[in-house]
Amino acid sequence: MRIGELAARAGVSVRSLRYYEEQGLLTSTRSTSGQRHYTDRDVERVGFIQRMYAAGLSSRTILEVMPCVDAPSAETSDAAMERMVQERDRLTEHIAELVRTRDSLDRLIAVNRAHRKTLHKAPAA
Amino acid sequence: MRIGELAARAGVSVRSLRYYEEQGLLTSTRSTSGQRHYTDRDVERVGFIQRMYAAGLSSRTILEVMPCVDAPSAETSDAAMERMVQERDRLTEHIAELVRTRDSLDRLIAVNRAHRKTLHKAPAA
DNA sequence: CTAAAACCTGACACTGACGTCAGAGGCAAG
DNA sequence: CTTGCCTCTGACGTCAGTGTCAGGTTTTAG
């Protein structure tokens, strides 16, 4: 498929796909006229990339863990494995922090609700 | 206390504190010479701001929920409460997404470990 | 054949939370 | 007083992912 279809299927912009290629995260075969062509597998790959971005990894870091995705059946480089475990742990810690933050938001909401109930929806002063 | 001490206590840069003030998130009393002065309570306030940033809120959004922090005992504006609940829900969804992403990383790690074990740490080809 | 739509490269714009530098003034210690 | 550190304002730099525009080629539909 060409770049427009991949973009539509993966739910990203054409611009992003070119950027991913520029960053070495995505490769394409080129037709004689220079147009990029992709396979169905690339849809998943772009999805993976997007999730990594959403998890806070940079292009460079995603690139470092890619060997684990590309060659899970081969001798994945130690560096890539190490990086992936490291990012997994970082993500775990980040999730824990977000949960704590959400809890504090919950408490704040509860406190405000309690006060509003107390005031019985009194009008502004 | 002056800005340097607040920065040290809250673990942020002086630059950030000035930026927070510029965004309306933090206020200071000024000495006659124009220097900013803060209270102990501002240390917590900066901590709160930092956690909100870490949770993905923008300056503008933090500003919108601030009434709930500033006046939890008064008639907190409906808009602020609504915004806070909305952000709490967004955060919940984001956490769920991150957990899914971490699970997929876990699976990827497991797959790679299994293959490495199978290969019995065979040297690179 | 021709017009529209998709694609190409290259480059500049943008956003947002800062870093950093310049030039000037404030404040406690020796 | 002066040395040295802290602070002030203002402004420009940065980073990273993406938007967007220009100017040109390719593919597709009629």
Side-chain angles (χ1 to χ4, degrees), chain A residues 15-110:
Chain A
R15 177 68 175 90
S16 293
L17 295 180
R18 296 205 188 102
Y19 179 73
Y20 299 164
E21 181 170 317
E22 191 181 316
Q23 300 299 308
L25 299 175
L26 188 62
T27 53
S28 58
T29 58
R30 298 297 189 104
S31 68
T32 46
S33 63
Q35 299 207 340
R36 294 170 177 86
H37 286 269
Y38 302 93
T39 68
D40 286 337
R41 291 184 55 82
D42 288 322
V43 178
E44 305 164 36
R45 190 183 182 89
V46 172
F48 178 81
I49 294 172
Q50 286 284 106
R51 281 182 307 173
M52 293 304 106
Y53 276 130
L57 281 71
S58 67
S59 296
R60 178 151 165 48
T61 304
I62 299 174
L63 190 60
E64 285 177 26
V65 306
M66 269 305 183
C68 295
V69 178
D70 290 333
S73 56
E75 71 296 330
T76 314
S77 107
D78 284 351
M81 270 297 280
E82 199 174 333
R83 202 81 170 102
M84 188 148 72
V85 170
Q86 178 183 336
E87 289 304 318
R88 192 264 319 264
D89 292 345
R90 195 191 54 77
L91 187 51
T92 296
E93 183 48 45
H94 188 216
I95 289 171
E97 189 190 324
L98 290 185
V99 167
R100 287 192 294 270
T101 297
R102 185 189 52 183
D103 287 349
S104 73
L105 279 183
D106 277 337
R107 280 192 295 274
L108 211 46
I109 289 171

Side-chain angles (χ1 to χ4, degrees), chain B residues 12 20 42 46-47 62 68 85 91-92 98 115 117 119 121:
Chain B
V12 305
Y20 299 164
D42 287 324
V46 172
I62 299 175
C68 296
V85 170
L91 187 50
T92 295
L98 290 185
H115 280 294
K117 194 174 284 182
L119 290 171
K121 297 203 168 187

